[in-house]
Amino acid sequence: MLYPKILIAANPEECAKLAANHFEELICSKPACVLGLATGSTPIPLYQELIAREKAGKIDFSRVRSANLDEYKGLTGDHPQSYRFFMQDNLFNHIGIKPENTIVPDGLATDVEAMAKAYEAQIEAWGGVDLQLLGLGHDGHIGFNEPEDVFPVHTHEVELTAMTREANKRFFGSLEEVPTAAYTMGVGTVMAARSILMIVTGADKAQIVKDSFFGPVTPQVPASILQFHPDVTVILDEAAASKL
Ligand code: GLP
């Protein structure tokens, strides 16, 4: 069992700065690096910090490649709640990354297996993910890998749990509008990244942070698998660290 490196910052803005330092260091040393990116409210301050750092000339995204963790099933890339739209709106439209160097699972895939295989093949063709950014769901989900009896390995389709749909309904008009399924990188896809950076903020996630990193490794808490990854950094604000 390995323990992650845990950094605790005063607030979400300070967490974002610490996380941005990791990205800056990687992009400066490997300009054509491959990033694994995440959605949700947690990474927004980080994306704002990265935009500011590129504007200040500290980072150059022109050769960076990125692969996103997940996408809602049935949403087009121009749907305001799709993760493709989120990434364009919160990051890609504001930095010099080339559109062809950004991939997000296709929410409209008809042949899910073929889409998933091609997604993983593209990441592999790029040389694999150098730095995978993760948020944490209240039930321990990473990407959209929900609690299950086994750890799903590859990119696949998942049914969203009632808890996740409830948590994500704030972005939609109502619970009924939240898709019931999604496509996500597998836990194995995530674990294949050379390094992993998770950001968690807020007191409501303090218990799941503790369960994920100091509880048993179990597919019922998908993030607990990270205890077996050799290079994990977890950035917490004081509230999320309050039960450690
Ligand atoms: C969503 C996403 C995850 C994200 C998590 C937490 O369902 N699929 O990638 O990490 O939930 O979201 P938030 O940061 O808004 O709490």
Side-chain angles (χ1 to χ4, degrees):
M1 179 118 17
L2 302 158
Y3 286 110
K5 192 166 139 193
I6 296 182
L7 307 177
I8 301 172
N11 52 49
E13 291 67 37
E14 293 303 315
C15 289
K17 285 186 190 149
L18 289 178
N21 293 345
H22 279 250
F23 280 81
E24 185 177 325
E25 202 181 303
L26 172 65
I27 297 168
C28 289
S29 62
K30 190 176 179 186
C33 61
V34 180
L35 305 178
L37 296 179
T39 54
S41 48
T42 310
I44 292 177
L46 164 65
Y47 293 155
Q48 287 169 349
E49 181 68 23
L50 292 176
I51 293 165
R53 289 193 191 192
E54 192 179 57
K55 284 202 168 52
K58 292 183 181 160
I59 319 182
D60 174 7
F61 278 95
S62 63
R63 294 177 61 199
V64 170
R65 283 82 60 85
S66 80
N68 261 79
L69 280 168
D70 47 12
E71 180 60 283
Y72 286 113
K73 180 179 178 179
L75 298 195
T76 55
D78 58 2
H79 187 291
Q81 268 71 47
S82 74
Y83 284 167
R84 164 55 80 179
F85 188 95
F86 174 100
M87 290 309 299
Q88 293 300 137
D89 202 35
N90 286 289
L91 184 64
F92 299 154
N93 290 347
H94 312 286
I95 58 172
I97 199 163
K98 294 194 174 76
E100 64 271 27
N101 284 345
T102 70
I103 57 170
V104 179
D106 178 6
L108 296 187
T110 43
D111 185 342
V112 179
E113 199 125 301
M115 179 278 289
K117 271 203 177 123
Y119 200 71
E120 304 235 346
Q122 178 63 74
I123 295 170
E124 214 164 285
W126 280 343
V129 171
D130 292 296
L131 177 60
Q132 175 67 57
L133 175 66
L134 294 176
L136 181 64
H138 290 96
D139 56 3
H141 73 243
I142 49 176
F144 267 135
N145 291 285
E146 300 278 21
E148 280 190 57
D149 293 337
V150 291
F151 288 108
V153 179
H154 300 294
T155 300
H156 62 292
E157 179 174 341
V158 275
E159 291 295 311
L160 299 180
T161 62
M163 190 194 226
T164 296
R165 292 185 67 238
E166 186 62 37
N168 290 0
K169 86 167 180 210
R170 67 193 193 276
F171 301 109
F172 292 81
S174 65
L175 184 61
E176 292 65 50
E177 287 169 67
V178 185
T180 55
Y183 303 128
T184 181
M185 282 184 187
V187 166
T189 328
V190 169
M191 288 292 282
R194 282 183 271 280
S195 66
I196 293 179
L197 180 64
M198 176 180 272
I199 309 175
V200 195
T201 56
D204 53 321
K205 294 203 181 147
Q207 186 61 46
I208 195 64
V209 166
K210 187 177 176 196
D211 295 346
S212 298
F213 294 102
F214 298 96
V217 175
T218 162
Q220 294 299 334
V221 182
S224 65
I225 192 80
L226 299 175
Q227 293 181 35
F228 289 139
H229 193 288
D231 186 355
V232 178
T233 302
V234 185
I235 299 179
L236 306 172
D237 69 352
E238 281 169 7
S242 60
K243 294 211 167 150
L244 300 186

